[in-house]
Structure formats: structure tokens, C-alpha cells
Amino acid sequence: MIATALGQHRIFDAHTHFLTQGFLANLGKVAGLQPDPAIVALRLGWEVPPKEPAEVGRVWLTEFDKYGVDRAIAIHTLPGDLETAAAGISATGGRLTGYVTIDPASSTAVTTLGRAIALGFRGLALFPGMFRFSMTSDAAYVLLQMANTHRMNVLVHCGVLKISFRNKLGLPAAFDGSFSNPLSLQRPCAEFPQAKFIVPHLGSGLFRELLMLADQQSNVYSDTSGIGGWAKYLDGAPGKAQVLRQAINVLGADRLLFGTDSTFFPRGWRKDVFDEHIRVFEEAKLDQAEVAKILGGNMEAIIGTRAGA
């Protein structure tokens, strides 16, 4: 719980990433480097994560206790392996809840999601622009049906996709934005109503399309990480408070989720992003009830108190 100018609030960060030594080693292979976590971390300017995944989880708990963060979503990030991420996330006693990232075209996609569900992961993360697939493809629908059956959250990255660590390693950004329009989720949202679809970063530049989707489908949510950072793509370049107020006008405060997109150390949990949110909340004249919902209440409502992987 964190005391702010808008009252004291529980914090459930809806968007962080869980990175292990295995992730760095696999990233090194992809980048044509030695699969040595220390070498890759040095190139990126990151600390090397602890060797044991459970210790990575404990590092995050220490960071959360430092700032007063109650819980967070931890996204297993490719090319990291699922089992290692699961071990680290589960070591936090439910304060971290896992989402599994899957490429639907992978031959192991279905078995990976089944394994993630068995391990307690509560969400599926999809990047259609990165892996160049349609959200209505047969491969995607198999995963969405599983997610719907298990009432999972489905995080779908839409809009502009920038991955700084790939850029630093010289990896090509051969993404296809034609697969990344939030409106491509209209059919899946309608056909899989038990799943909650989360479009991060307020649409990453496709804010209007996100609002159009959310206005039609009640199981659409959005996280606020990078709030206003994509306004340069919007007509009139509106301010962050204006973007937030417009999002509330369409989604209501009940379908917005606070997120920081925290990833690596020594940067750690993005307290600067949290402070920016509080300033934007004040400027947008949110009341305490709205703030409480966005900062943690909504995420608690859709995840619950069950300890996830």
C-alpha cells in the first residue's frame, strides 16, 4: 500500500516482466552472441539476475516491499523458458501472478499453454505484430478457446511495438503492424466471453481503435503503462490527463488497470511511472474511488486472491 496525495491505496501492477538468466542466455543465442547471461547483460546495461529463479522472485518482493507494492502481474517473456519463470513466480506466494507468452505458430503452443495452466498461470500474452499472425487464425483460436474455458486474461499487444533490448542487440524489428489493430479483437472478444482481453499501453498509438473496441465489447480492458506516451500519433497530440479522461469516458474506471512495464534491474520497479500516474490522476480530477480501482482494485477483482504461478 502506498500513501499518495490522492489517499492511501493498494497497488496491483498489471504489467511487469519476469526475466531470468535463461531468458538472457536464449536472447544471446538469438542475437548471435555467446549464450552467457553476463555478456548479454553487459551489452544491455542490466544486472545479471540471480541464478536460481526463486531468488529472482525474492528480489522482486524486496523491491515491492521497498515501495509498498502489494502485487503484480509477471509476464513470462520470450525467449525465456516457461518452467524457469514458473519456479520464480510461484516462489512469491501469490504476490506475483503469471502470464505466459506464446507464439501460436509454435509446434508446442497448445502443450505450453496447458502446462502454464497446470502451473497456475492466469493469463495468456499474445503479440500478433511480432509473430505475424491473425487473432482470428485457427492457431490463435485454439489458444483462445483454452483461455476462455479457464477464464484467463488474454493480453494482446496492439499498435506500435518497440522493444529496446532487441534494438540494443541489433536484432531486426521485422514486425507487422497490420496484425496489431485492436479492432481485430472484436470477433474473439464476442466469441470468447469468459476471457478478459487486455490491450496494454492504452492501444500503443491506436487509442481511437481501442475505444471503439471497448465500446462494443464489455470484456475489453486496457492497462495504462506508457500513459500518454503515444499521444504524438493522435490528432491534436492531447495531454495525458485528456487521454485518461477520454478512456474513462468510454471504458469507465472499472476497466482500466495501472501498469508500469517494469522489466530489469538495477532500474527495478518503475516508481517514476507510478509518480507520473498520480500527477495525471490529479490533473484529470479523478476521485479516490476511481484511483483505487485503477491502481489495484480492478486487477484484484479479475484475478482474485488465489495465489497464481
Side-chain angles (χ1 to χ4, degrees):
M1 188 169 287
I2 301 180
T4 75
L6 297 172
Q8 194 170 35
H9 296 285
R10 286 179 57 81
I11 308 301
F12 195 149
D13 191 331
H15 194 140
T16 75
H17 293 264
F18 196 87
L19 308 180
T20 63
Q21 285 200 15
F23 164 80
L24 289 176
N26 290 332
L27 184 61
K29 293 179 184 178
V30 173
L33 304 172
Q34 294 183 42
D36 184 336
I39 292 175
V40 179
L42 181 63
R43 286 280 296 271
L44 295 174
W46 297 1
E47 290 180 1
V48 181
K51 183 176 181 180
E52 296 299 323
E55 185 58 30
V56 179
R58 286 189 281 272
V59 168
W60 276 110
L61 292 190
T62 298
E63 184 80 351
F64 292 161
D65 290 343
K66 174 182 175 181
Y67 291 110
V69 178
D70 298 278
R71 300 174 67 186
I73 295 298
I75 302 171
H76 145 262
T77 304
L78 295 175
D81 66 277
L82 175 66
E83 303 292 335
T84 300
I89 293 169
S90 64
T92 66
R95 289 180 68 184
L96 286 178
T97 298
Y99 287 2
V100 55
T101 301
I102 297 178
D103 174 4
S106 168
S107 61
T108 61
V110 173
T111 56
T112 298
L113 182 54
R115 180 60 178 153
I117 292 169
L119 288 167
F121 280 69
R122 302 294 304 281
L124 166 65
L126 298 174
F127 292 77
M130 177 188 294
F131 297 114
R132 302 189 291 278
F133 65 88
S134 166
M135 284 298 298
T136 57
S137 65
D138 291 345
Y141 260 48
V142 171
L143 300 181
L144 292 177
Q145 180 62 67
M146 294 174 68
N148 187 68
T149 299
H150 293 275
R151 296 175 178 266
M152 300 180 80
N153 293 343
V154 181
L155 183 144
V156 185
H157 193 290
C158 298
V160 178
L161 179 58
K162 295 181 179 181
I163 304 177
S164 60
F165 65 77
R166 291 179 61 92
N167 295 338
K168 286 183 179 180
L169 296 178
L171 291 170
F175 309 142
D176 190 340
S178 66
F179 292 115
S180 296
N181 193 316
L183 292 175
S184 69
L185 300 179
Q186 185 170 357
R187 261 188 61 202
C189 288
E191 295 179 0
F192 301 108
Q194 303 305 320
K196 290 181 170 58
F197 289 80
I198 301 170
V199 178
H201 314 305
L202 292 174
S204 299
L206 295 181
F207 183 58
R208 175 174 173 268
E209 290 79 359
L210 166 64
L211 297 185
M212 293 168 67
L213 172 69
D215 200 31
Q216 299 174 82
Q217 304 295 340
S218 62
N219 57 338
V220 172
Y221 292 69
S222 186
D223 81 44
T224 61
S225 55
I227 186 169
W230 310 100
K232 63 185 178 183
Y233 301 121
L234 306 178
D235 291 342
K240 296 174 183 179
Q242 183 179 347
V243 169
L244 178 63
R245 178 48 65 187
Q246 190 170 353
I248 290 176
N249 288 345
V250 177
L251 286 88
D254 295 323
R255 289 193 283 155
L256 291 174
L257 311 168
F258 162 72
T260 62
D261 202 6
S262 298
T263 49
F264 61 88
F265 288 85
R267 187 176 68 178
W269 188 68
R270 298 292 305 275
K271 178 63 162 51
D272 58 322
V273 173
F274 174 80
D275 292 340
E276 179 185 30
H277 272 75
I278 297 302
R279 290 192 293 270
V280 174
F281 292 166
E282 288 184 285
E283 186 180 347
K285 302 188 185 308
L286 270 60
D287 60 38
Q288 287 204 26
E290 291 172 320
V291 173
K293 289 177 180 179
I294 296 171
L295 287 182
N298 294 335
M299 201 74 242
E300 288 275 4
I302 63 177
I303 288 292
T305 57
R306 168 186 165 189

